[in-house]
């Protein structure tokens, strides 16, 4: 039997949209859930499986050291799956919101690049990008959108091994990105949190920080999360069902 479709409380949408309309400084925090309706599987939901491995066992520096070919097979597979993927109505609604709230910033945990493809301009990629490769030797990073890659594992012109330009479990987030996103959290009037299980830190601390500094917290997620209890409005629906409704009224 399929799950019943969650209903979204219209009064809650209106209240949240009203807050968004009045705000200049908006921080949007997104996770894998915003891309789910574009066809990108989340890690923790169903359909996110790859062979018999768990992401936590492949997305680590130790896994790469042990078997760079296996790790690259997984990333190459994910890159190939992303090639035909398009931003959805939620990504597009955030582009409209940005034009209405010029100080808006998106801090995304996603590595798929879909906010940029949609046209959002101020995007901080907390966990890097799956389209970036970085040399473990000379450390040079560059974009490489070829999928599949012609050679696995790929190599740098200097001869060093290239790695995916993403942040792995156990690694630190880029300092500049972290600094800017927490500064935005401290200043935000509204924080809109879309499609994240709010279990991966430090990203999960952004809404907490914003709330501690007085921000109004809006959550969009079909399921309750650890953030739900502290949200001012928690919309129990999908990104595509809720975000255009929120920003349509806000723009
Ligand atoms: P997660 O997989 O832990 O959680 C996804 C959340 O999205 C869940 O709370 C789920 O209820 C919600 N969700 C599912 N479908 C949704 C929908 N249609 N609309 C709104 N919400 C929906 O993801 P996370 O919190 O982002 O953390 C996982 C880590 O995995 C991140 O670090 C991220 O870098 C990485 N990841 C990225 C991608 C991507 O780039 N698209 C995909 C999978 C995982």
């Amino acid at each position: 039997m399929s799950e019943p479709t969650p209903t979204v409380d219209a009064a809650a949408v209106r209240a949240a949209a009203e807050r968004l309309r009045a705000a200049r400084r908006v921080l949007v925090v997104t996770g894998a859930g915003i891309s789910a309706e574009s066809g990108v599987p989340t890690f923790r939901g169903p359909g996110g499986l790859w062979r018999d491995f768990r992401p936590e066992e492949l997305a680590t520096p130790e896994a790469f050291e042990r078997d760079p070919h296996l790790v690259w097979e997984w990333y190459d597979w994910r890159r190939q799956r992303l090639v035909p993927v398009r931003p959805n109505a939620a990504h597009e609604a955030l582009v409209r919101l940005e034009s209405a709230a010029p100080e808006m910033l998106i801090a995304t945990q996603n590595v798929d690049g879909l906010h940029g493809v949609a046209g959002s301009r101020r995007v901080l990629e907390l966990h890097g990008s799956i389209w970036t490769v970085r040399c473990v030797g000379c450390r040079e990073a560059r974009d490489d959108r070829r999928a599949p890659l012609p050679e696995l594992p790929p190599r740098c012109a200097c001869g060093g091994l290239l790695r995916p330009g993403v942040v792995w479990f156990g690694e630190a987030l880029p300092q500049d990105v972290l600094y800017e996103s927490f500064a935005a959290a401290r200043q935000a009037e509204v924080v809109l949190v879309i499609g994240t299980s709010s279990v991966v830190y430090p990203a999960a601390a952004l809404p907490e920080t914003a709330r501690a500094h007085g921000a109004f917290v809006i959550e969009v997620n079909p399921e309750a999360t650890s953030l739900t209890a502290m949200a001012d409005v928690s919309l129990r629906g999908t990104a595509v069902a809720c975000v255009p409704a929120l920003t349509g009224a806000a723009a």
Side-chain angles (χ1 to χ4, degrees), residues 123-230:
V123 182
L124 295 174
E125 292 179 312
L126 296 167
H127 296 164
S129 167
I130 202 164
W131 301 112
T132 302
V133 293
R134 193 170 78 236
C135 180
V136 298
C138 72
R139 298 190 173 269
E140 191 170 300
R142 62 179 163 81
D143 265 13
D144 187 337
R145 293 216 160 230
R146 291 174 300 168
L149 284 162
E151 175 200 17
L152 293 184
R155 297 227 162 237
C156 178
C158 80
L161 209 52
L162 288 169
R163 59 162 282 176
V166 300
V167 177
W168 281 328
F169 291 96
E171 291 187 316
L173 273 63
Q175 277 303 310
D176 49 344
V177 166
L178 205 55
Y179 180 84
E180 208 180 326
S181 51
F182 274 91
R186 286 191 297 273
Q187 288 162 12
E189 294 156 71
V190 175
V191 59
L192 172 59
V193 186
I194 307 163
T196 171
S197 51
S198 291
V199 294
V200 180
Y201 278 82
L206 285 170
E208 294 169 11
T209 303
R211 187 165 206 294
H213 286 79
F216 188 84
V217 179
I218 305 167
E219 177 182 48
V220 174
N221 199 309
E223 288 172 25
T225 70
S226 50
L227 179 72
T228 304
M230 77 165 79

Side-chain angles (χ1 to χ4, degrees), residues 30-37 40-45 78 109-112 127 194-200 220-223 225 237-240:
T30 66
I34 194 170
S35 297
E37 287 158 287
V40 187
T42 61
F43 279 172
R44 290 176 180 77
R78 288 177 61 196
Q109 295 170 84
N110 295 345
V111 296
D112 56 33
H127 296 164
I194 307 163
T196 171
S197 51
S198 291
V199 294
V200 180
V220 174
N221 199 309
E223 288 172 25
T225 70
T238 72
V240 165

Side-chain angles (χ1 to χ4, degrees), residues 69-134:
H69 190 272
L70 175 68
V71 171
W72 261 117
E73 265 192 308
W74 185 53
Y75 279 95
D76 200 44
W77 174 79
R78 288 177 61 196
R79 286 161 60 107
Q80 289 179 58
R81 288 185 58 150
L82 282 171
V83 170
V85 166
R86 305 298 310 151
N88 62 46
H91 295 104
E92 285 159 7
L94 292 180
V95 180
R96 289 196 298 277
L97 185 63
E98 191 176 33
S99 50
E103 291 180 49
M104 177 182 128
L105 186 72
I106 299 175
T108 187
Q109 295 170 84
N110 295 345
V111 296
D112 56 33
L114 287 176
H115 286 300
V117 175
S120 288
R121 281 170 312 200
R122 300 191 67 209
V123 182
L124 295 174
E125 292 179 312
L126 296 167
H127 296 164
S129 167
I130 202 164
W131 301 112
T132 302
V133 293
R134 193 170 78 236

Side-chain angles (χ1 to χ4, degrees), residues 8 13 90 219-221 235-248:
V8 184
V13 172
E219 177 182 48
V220 174
N221 199 309
L235 300 176
R236 195 64 65 249
T238 72
V240 165
C242 298
V243 183
L246 279 178
T247 59

